[in-house]
Amino acid sequence: MLPFLDLIYLGAMMSANIMLQHPQEFTFPPQREAITAVKLHREWWRDEGKGKCYFTGVMVPFVRDWPQTVKHGGGNETVLPPEPDKTAGHAFLSTQKFCQGKPMEKIFRAGFIYRVKPEGQSAKQFPAYDMLAEKPENYPNWLAQVVSRVERVALTDPAAKEFMDVSVEQFEKAFPNRIKTREAAEAGAASRPASDSSPPVLVPPLTLAESPQVKEVESHN
């Protein structure tokens, strides 16, 4: 039996999970180091559904860089090794919500779809979790990876930079250990003499406090 506090947390996470939809077909970018700006919405019949509210963010490719356990019948299981060179799916990060007659709300919701075909993906809904209400140890394995990818792409892509500019507060809440690292990198850049032509020191990739847990999935075979 789950402890009382765990039941409260589980109930809060259930309510923090909403379904978001992309209103039209989109094309996956051919390269992995890329983002696509997206506009998402909830089901039309909800109080904040389509036509009343919308969510803005980005779609970002991710790879499965963690081992995954597939359970078969009879207690058998297979551990799939990481595939860091193969795009596994696309994550959706939304950090702003706009509703009629209300000011913009800062949020941080994340969801994903597995890549079905390389040329595109029909409009589809997916669970979008409130990362600011989630425990860091329960973050999806791909979350830190895709935020780091957006950071890298933002160095040359105006759309990614704009997204980072409006999302930095939410990301620092989700990854508080990043604040000190970013401030240290910025302080180091500010102290460099103008004649120093060496490359700037970038903030290290996002990391979690603990290594991601091995994910288990059920096999229907």
Side-chain angles (χ1 to χ4, degrees):
M1 188 172 184
L2 286 172
F4 179 67
L5 289 178
D6 285 345
L7 287 173
I8 293 178
Y9 172 73
L10 201 56
M13 281 312 301
M14 289 295 290
S15 64
N17 173 17
I18 66 173
M19 301 300 293
L20 287 181
Q21 302 173 340
H22 194 284
Q24 61 188 20
E25 289 194 358
F26 53 85
T27 301
F28 293 130
Q31 67 273 29
R32 192 175 299 133
E33 290 294 293
I35 63 98
T36 302
V38 295
K39 185 177 179 181
L40 310 166
H41 60 79
R42 298 191 68 183
E43 302 93 329
W44 65 268
W45 48 268
R46 294 191 178 275
D47 291 340
E48 57 177 28
K50 185 178 181 181
K52 292 163 278 191
C53 298
Y54 63 90
F55 302 73
T56 60
V58 293
M59 178 180 71
V60 193
F62 71 88
V63 300
R64 185 172 58 79
D65 54 4
W66 61 89
Q68 182 167 296
T69 300
V70 180
K71 291 190 173 184
H72 310 282
N76 298 320
E77 63 181 34
T78 303
V79 178
L80 303 177
E83 294 183 309
D85 298 322
K86 179 181 178 181
T87 299
H90 286 74
F92 291 82
L93 308 179
S94 176
T95 55
Q96 291 185 306
K97 182 173 76 171
F98 298 86
C99 293
Q100 295 178 0
K102 296 182 181 180
M104 179 274 294
E105 180 182 350
K106 292 183 178 182
I107 61 172
F108 184 15
R109 288 193 174 275
F112 77 98
I113 58 172
Y114 281 111
R115 191 167 188 170
V116 179
K117 51 186 179 179
E119 65 273 15
Q121 168 70 42
S122 298
K124 185 174 183 177
Q125 69 175 15
F126 53 88
Y129 296 90
D130 185 353
M131 292 295 100
L132 300 181
E134 181 62 279
K135 293 180 179 179
E137 60 267 27
N138 293 331
Y139 286 171
N141 280 340
W142 43 259
L143 184 62
Q145 175 194 146
V146 296
V147 174
S148 289
R149 175 161 289 119
V150 177
E151 283 187 307
R152 292 193 302 271
V153 176
L155 295 174
T156 56
D157 185 318
K161 184 180 185 307
E162 180 180 355
F163 176 72
M164 285 300 303
D165 289 343
V166 301
S167 307
V168 63
E169 180 181 335
Q170 297 90 310
F171 290 161
E172 288 184 345
K173 287 181 180 178
F175 299 93
N177 62 312
R178 291 286 286 166
I179 299 176
K180 291 183 178 179
T181 332
R182 178 178 58 80
E183 290 177 344
E186 291 176 348
S191 63
R192 292 167 56 196
S195 59
D196 188 351
S197 59
S198 60
V201 179
L202 300 180
V203 181
L206 286 161
T207 55
L208 301 180
E210 299 178 2
S211 300
Q213 298 177 351
V214 175
K215 297 293 183 183
E216 297 183 351
V217 296
E218 297 289 338
S219 170
H220 300 288
N221 295 331

